[in-house]
Amino acid sequence: MRNLLSAYFTKMLKDRFFWLMECAIFLWTLYVFSCARQQFICGMHRLSKTFHTNPYFFNAAIWLGISLALYSAYFVGTEYHDGVLRSQIIAGHKRSVIYLSHYLIILLVGIIQAASYFVVLLAADGLFLGSSILRMLVRPAEYMLLIFLALLGYAAVFSCLSILLSNKAAVIFIQLLLAILMLYFGYATVTALLEPKIVPVFGSHYGNDVTIPNYKYLEGPKREIYEWTDALVPSSMILHGVMTEKKDEFPFSAKIPVGTILLCVSFTSCGLYGFSKKDLK
């Protein structure tokens, strides 16, 4: 596996599409920082009372799943087109080793993409805002862990689909659609779970500090279903950092690592079995 990983890593570094995506991430990071800087300056002049930095720092949720969906389909699809997979099997490499090597390289690409975003944003924050964004983050260690778990899940899903479907165009369409759907379900799930138990009531006939139960708050089996959905959808985990504020009681759940393990094991097992039976023409 070491030789395959070394070859894939070298191929990645020479890949123009990889560097094109890195340039896009760099430009996006600069745009995000300009938005954060503008809001920070407005806050300094009391045009805004609060400056919530999590949506800026953790907005990788917007593009991380989509970028991995694109790159995994491109990377594996090119190997099908060029006959690389067939040559590797003829050369004596086990199919399981080839599959796991693809999984690890796709995971590495996701880590590099996320790290590129954070490094550029932190550098700009330190130079121009005195690390204001970093100092005002809410639970950063927890959300960084969630991003890593989400990358494990994304890599498992996209490596499975990319290697089982040899048509590059079809894989790109399916994985992009899936990434967008995961964002939608992740947003809907986190929004529902963030609903507070009680909500304030405003009006002339109400006194101060009056609250009532929130009918949107999830309880019982319905909340359990939403929490497991949250644990199984990678984009949902990343959206925690973007959408959760300091006032929200949405702690890290033990279901999340369990859900990630179940997702990775399920897709990796299906991928290994399907690839072992696949006829490489």
Side-chain angles (χ1 to χ4, degrees), residues 13-29:
L13 293 179
K14 294 179 179 179
D15 191 352
R16 292 181 181 179
F17 186 61
F18 171 78
W19 290 109
L20 178 64
M21 296 185 74
E22 286 293 300
C23 290
I25 290 170
F26 177 77
L27 294 174
W28 177 255
T29 308

Side-chain angles (χ1 to χ4, degrees), residues 76-83 85 162-163 165-166 275 278 280:
V76 181
T78 302
E79 293 209 322
Y80 269 116
H81 182 268
D82 296 341
L85 289 175
S162 296
I163 209 164
L165 303 174
S166 54
F275 187 53
K278 189 173 181 64
L280 301 178

Side-chain angles (χ1 to χ4, degrees), residues 83-136:
V84 175
L85 289 175
R86 187 177 182 183
S87 299
Q88 289 172 345
I89 293 172
I90 293 173
H93 293 288
K94 294 182 179 179
R95 293 197 180 207
S96 58
V97 173
I98 295 172
Y99 183 93
L100 293 175
S101 297
H102 279 101
Y103 171 78
L104 291 175
I105 203 67
I106 291 170
L107 175 61
L108 178 62
V109 169
I111 293 173
I112 292 173
Q113 289 177 348
S116 300
Y117 172 83
F118 291 129
V119 168
V120 175
L121 185 62
L122 287 174
D125 180 39
L127 287 173
F128 299 104
L129 291 181
S131 299
S132 297
I133 293 177
L134 181 63
R135 290 200 304 268
M136 299 172 73

Side-chain angles (χ1 to χ4, degrees), residues 5-281:
L5 285 175
S6 178
Y8 287 154
F9 184 73
T10 302
K11 179 183 176 181
M12 180 193 72
L13 293 179
K14 294 179 179 179
D15 191 352
R16 292 181 181 179
F17 186 61
F18 171 78
W19 290 109
L20 178 64
M21 296 185 74
E22 286 293 300
C23 290
I25 290 170
F26 177 77
L27 294 174
W28 177 255
T29 308
L30 294 182
Y31 170 73
V32 170
F33 175 74
S34 67
C35 294
R37 183 175 180 272
Q38 183 178 9
Q39 186 175 350
F40 176 76
I41 293 173
C42 289
M44 292 292 288
H45 289 85
R46 297 185 180 180
L47 297 177
S48 173
K49 294 182 179 180
T50 60
F51 176 47
H52 186 38
T53 60
N54 276 39
Y56 298 102
F57 191 78
F58 294 108
N59 82 65
I62 296 173
W63 48 261
L64 194 56
I66 294 173
S67 63
L68 268 189
L70 281 172
Y71 190 78
S72 62
Y74 170 83
F75 186 87
V76 181
T78 302
E79 293 209 322
Y80 269 116
H81 182 268
D82 296 341
V84 175
L85 289 175
R86 187 177 182 183
S87 299
Q88 289 172 345
I89 293 172
I90 293 173
H93 293 288
K94 294 182 179 179
R95 293 197 180 207
S96 58
V97 173
I98 295 172
Y99 183 93
L100 293 175
S101 297
H102 279 101
Y103 171 78
L104 291 175
I105 203 67
I106 291 170
L107 175 61
L108 178 62
V109 169
I111 293 173
I112 292 173
Q113 289 177 348
S116 300
Y117 172 83
F118 291 129
V119 168
V120 175
L121 185 62
L122 287 174
D125 180 39
L127 287 173
F128 299 104
L129 291 181
S131 299
S132 297
I133 293 177
L134 181 63
R135 290 200 304 268
M136 299 172 73
L137 289 174
V138 176
R139 301 197 289 272
E142 176 181 321
Y143 296 135
M144 292 295 287
L145 175 59
L146 287 176
I147 287 176
F148 177 71
L149 292 175
L151 287 173
L152 290 173
Y154 272 135
V157 173
F158 295 142
S159 60
C160 175
L161 295 177
S162 296
I163 209 164
L164 293 184
L165 303 174
S166 54
N167 188 317
K168 187 193 293 189
V171 175
I172 290 175
F173 174 78
I174 292 171
Q175 293 194 162
L176 274 179
L177 181 61
L178 183 59
I180 294 170
L181 287 174
M182 283 195 286
L183 276 175
Y184 171 78
F185 280 107
Y187 177 81
T189 301
V190 175
T191 299
L193 288 172
L194 283 175
E195 288 289 342
K197 288 185 178 180
I198 56 175
V199 291
V201 180
F202 301 98
S204 58
H205 57 284
Y206 289 104
N208 295 328
D209 300 325
V210 175
T211 59
I212 61 172
N214 183 9
Y215 73 94
K216 293 183 180 179
Y217 181 77
L218 300 174
E219 294 182 290
K222 191 172 182 179
R223 189 170 188 87
E224 283 288 320
I225 293 172
Y226 270 76
E227 287 180 351
W228 278 111
T229 303
D230 175 68
L232 290 168
V233 179
S235 62
S236 181
M237 286 181 271
I238 303 178
L239 284 166
H240 281 225
V242 179
M243 299 171 62
T244 306
E245 299 184 16
K246 191 174 183 179
K247 62 181 177 61
D248 295 319
E249 297 181 3
F250 195 13
F252 185 90
S253 170
K255 293 184 178 72
I256 291 177
V258 174
T260 301
I261 292 171
L262 290 173
L263 185 71
C264 292
V265 170
S266 299
F267 274 91
T268 302
S269 299
C270 291
L272 285 169
Y273 177 78
F275 187 53
S276 68
K277 302 295 182 181
K278 189 173 181 64
D279 182 18
L280 301 178
K281 298 180 181 179

